[in-house]
Amino acid sequence: MGSEQRNALLAVVLSGLILFGWQYYFVPKKAPAPVEPVTTSVTAPTTATNTTIAQGGPIEPSSAPVAETFTVGQSVKVEFTNNLTFTNMTNPQAGNTFAETTGSAAPAKVEFDFGMGKGWQSLQFQRVDETKFHNAESDMTLSTAVDEKGIATFTLTSPNVFKYRFTFVSEAKKLENNQHRIFSFYTDSLTNVEMDDDETGDRAIKWAGIDFDYHLFGIALDKETSLLYKSSLNNFTMFSNKGENSLKFHTVFVKKEYNYLSSLGHNLQNSVDFGIWGFFAVWILKGLQFFYKFIPNYGISIILLTLLIRLITFPLQWKSTVSMKKLQEVQPQLTKIREKFKDDPARLQKESMELFKKSGANPMGGCLPLLLQMPVFFAFYKVLYSAVELVDAPFILWLHDLSNKDPYYVLPVLMTVAMFLQQRLTPNTIADPVQKKIMMFMPLIFGFIMKDLPSGLCLYIFVSTLFGILQQVLVFNTGKSNKLATV
């Protein structure tokens, strides 16, 4: 194996180790900092939150209102106070409660600025009928609607120009499965914000919300608008910087099932964080769901999809194995050439290339299929880590959750043994003794990293490795048969 191939192979392997090592140690081990209890104005709004707008004049405070909670919707329900603070949502599709997901008694509120130096204020609404509400001081009308899918729509109109802002309030929490509560927002890509991050920006935000334990409480804007945003300890705020006469937004509380989110629109499916391998991850998830329709076991779906992927890439794998076998056969000649022309790099390069051409060996032939498999490998990892469909999905016997680690480390051990066996069968084209030792211990290192990663990922690698072993045996037997036929 030439230096280019060795370097490329080592780069790929080290990249994989860095990725999984980073994921393993990504979340700080220290406990979250204590959070002060969240206080809201739900039960006792101040007098300054109600306003009076004189014709062409400034907003003036009025008498203190009486706190009241409104509920809209039937199967999907939204509860909010008369000052437009959201306190609860229920959705039969969700597996957790609203309070478990948001971590707050009042996780979101809407405020307004009518100018005249009064700043941001809450408005007190009175119910007109089942779906309509009104604030007399600003002459603002609020209309609500909840559709069958679970989207609640809020439409606000006023003859007075206003700015608006949304404030999310929560607190940090982390589970044993490394799921931790974050603020998320989507522009042209997903951005996750930790609870203690301090960030500001100006983006065309399509939706924002609180994400925790495969659930999302979000507010989506009806039209793309450039908004300012700011995050601080346990708070995330986004607000307009220009006046409007109307505002339309949607609230959702859902378990993050990809297909369900896609049916809701507003790019909500992008709350499932598949990372840079999103294109491959979506198709892998669809492939798993396809096999699951026929055999309702995601472990078997992983096996069938793995075999399908290996069959599709089989021609490349075949060429890779044949190329590595040829490289092994010409290693003695290549070593002589390197020794003979070690002081003449140009001649060494020329003689080496002539040898590769004559033997039909390709120094990069063994690396290309491996590089092509890396996106699929990482995408599989992101699907198993991010897709709620595989949470609590059983396989066999002791494996009750493919999104969690193997509790008895059976699959990591089997995977490591299979990788050692494949390594023994793989043509050894590495001359450097240090690199040989590194490659010899690579299955053990990889198995150690994989022991705490999703068991579904171990299953994928184990099955893929077994298929690779069968492929190598087939290539070697075919090569022997060809040699005997030639003789």
Side-chain angles (χ1 to χ4, degrees), residues 5 44 52 63 118 134 143-144 245 253-254 273 301 331 338 346 397 407 478:
Q5 183 181 7
T52 301
S63 59
K118 295 297 180 179
H134 186 256
S143 300
T144 64
N245 287 104
F253 171 56
V254 294
D273 188 8
S301 296
Q331 275 301 306
R338 287 173 178 168
L397 300 176
T478 302

Side-chain angles (χ1 to χ4, degrees), residues 32-266:
V35 179
E36 295 296 327
V38 178
T39 59
T40 71
S41 59
V42 173
T43 57
T46 62
T47 57
T49 58
N50 200 18
T51 59
T52 301
I53 300 181
Q55 186 66 30
I59 303 174
E60 298 295 341
S62 64
S63 59
V66 177
E68 186 178 358
T69 300
F70 305 127
T71 302
V72 295
Q74 298 297 323
S75 61
V76 175
K77 296 180 180 180
V78 185
E79 294 180 12
F80 57 96
T81 64
N82 54 348
N83 68 348
L84 209 50
T85 297
F86 293 92
T87 57
N88 193 23
M89 283 192 71
T90 56
N91 186 345
Q93 183 266 353
N96 292 345
T97 66
F98 187 74
E100 288 172 338
T101 299
T102 61
S104 173
K109 64 180 178 179
V110 189
E111 296 172 297
F112 305 90
D113 182 3
F114 288 88
M116 313 305 287
K118 295 297 180 179
W120 297 104
Q121 303 170 0
S122 297
L123 298 183
Q124 306 298 324
F125 288 88
Q126 292 183 336
R127 191 163 211 154
V128 177
D129 58 32
E130 187 176 350
T131 61
K132 289 187 178 181
F133 307 82
H134 186 256
N135 173 262
E137 290 77 15
S138 65
D139 197 19
M140 179 176 283
T141 299
L142 168 62
S143 300
T144 64
V146 183
D147 65 20
E148 296 178 354
K149 292 181 179 179
I151 291 279
T153 301
F154 293 78
T155 305
L156 295 133
T157 58
S158 173
N160 302 287
V161 175
F162 61 88
K163 296 179 183 179
Y164 56 86
R165 76 174 180 183
F166 299 91
T167 301
F168 294 93
V169 180
S170 186
E171 64 178 43
K173 186 174 182 179
K174 178 186 172 184
L175 302 178
E176 291 183 358
N177 61 0
N178 286 331
Q179 289 288 319
H180 60 293
R181 190 177 287 124
I182 54 176
F183 296 117
S184 293
F185 66 90
Y186 183 78
T187 54
D188 291 326
S189 60
L190 180 66
T191 300
N192 294 324
V193 182
E194 300 295 334
M195 290 288 164
D196 58 352
D197 281 355
D198 289 321
E199 290 188 18
T200 57
D202 184 356
R203 305 283 293 275
I205 296 177
K206 296 179 174 63
W207 60 259
I210 301 171
D211 188 315
F212 180 58
D213 195 21
Y214 302 100
H215 283 71
L216 173 72
F217 164 59
I219 293 178
L221 296 175
D222 192 62
K223 62 180 181 179
E224 185 172 303
T225 306
S226 180
L227 299 176
L228 302 172
Y229 70 89
K230 175 179 175 57
S231 67
S232 57
L233 181 61
N234 301 324
N235 284 267
F236 180 84
T237 303
M238 58 180 183
F239 50 96
S240 62
N241 55 6
K242 66 176 183 178
E244 304 278 357
N245 287 104
S246 65
L247 167 65
K248 187 176 183 180
F249 64 92
H250 315 272
T251 64
V252 293
F253 171 56
V254 294
K255 181 166 66 173
K256 297 195 304 178
E257 293 177 348
Y258 189 86
N259 292 342
Y260 180 73
L261 290 168
S262 298
S263 70
L264 297 179
H266 305 289

Side-chain angles (χ1 to χ4, degrees), residues 426-481:
T426 301
N428 189 352
T429 60
I430 300 176
D432 183 57
V434 175
Q435 292 187 22
K436 281 186 177 180
K437 289 182 179 179
I438 293 175
M439 296 305 295
M440 181 177 65
F441 284 102
M442 199 59 68
L444 188 61
I445 297 171
F446 201 70
F448 179 79
I449 293 174
M450 292 295 299
K451 70 181 179 63
D452 292 318
L453 293 179
S455 56
L457 187 63
C458 290
L459 178 62
Y460 161 69
I461 299 173
F462 175 59
V463 174
S464 182
T465 304
L466 287 181
F467 192 94
I469 292 173
L470 293 175
Q471 171 189 295
Q472 287 178 313
V473 171
L474 178 62
V475 170
F476 296 154
N477 288 338
T478 302
K480 291 179 180 179
S481 299

Side-chain angles (χ1 to χ4, degrees), residues 20 299-300 302-307 310 373 377 380 384 395-396 398-399 402 406 409-423 443 446-447 450-451 453-472:
F20 293 110
I300 296 176
I302 289 174
I303 293 173
L304 294 176
L305 183 60
T306 303
L307 294 177
R310 295 292 303 210
Q373 282 190 76
F377 177 80
F380 237 116
L384 291 164
F395 177 35
I396 55 172
W398 73 99
L399 292 175
L402 289 168
D406 185 333
Y409 306 112
V410 175
L411 276 178
V413 170
L414 291 176
M415 181 198 72
T416 302
V417 172
M419 292 180 72
F420 268 119
L421 180 59
Q422 186 181 42
Q423 188 180 72
F446 201 70
M450 292 295 299
K451 70 181 179 63
L453 293 179
S455 56
L457 187 63
C458 290
L459 178 62
Y460 161 69
I461 299 173
F462 175 59
V463 174
S464 182
T465 304
L466 287 181
F467 192 94
I469 292 173
L470 293 175
Q471 171 189 295
Q472 287 178 313

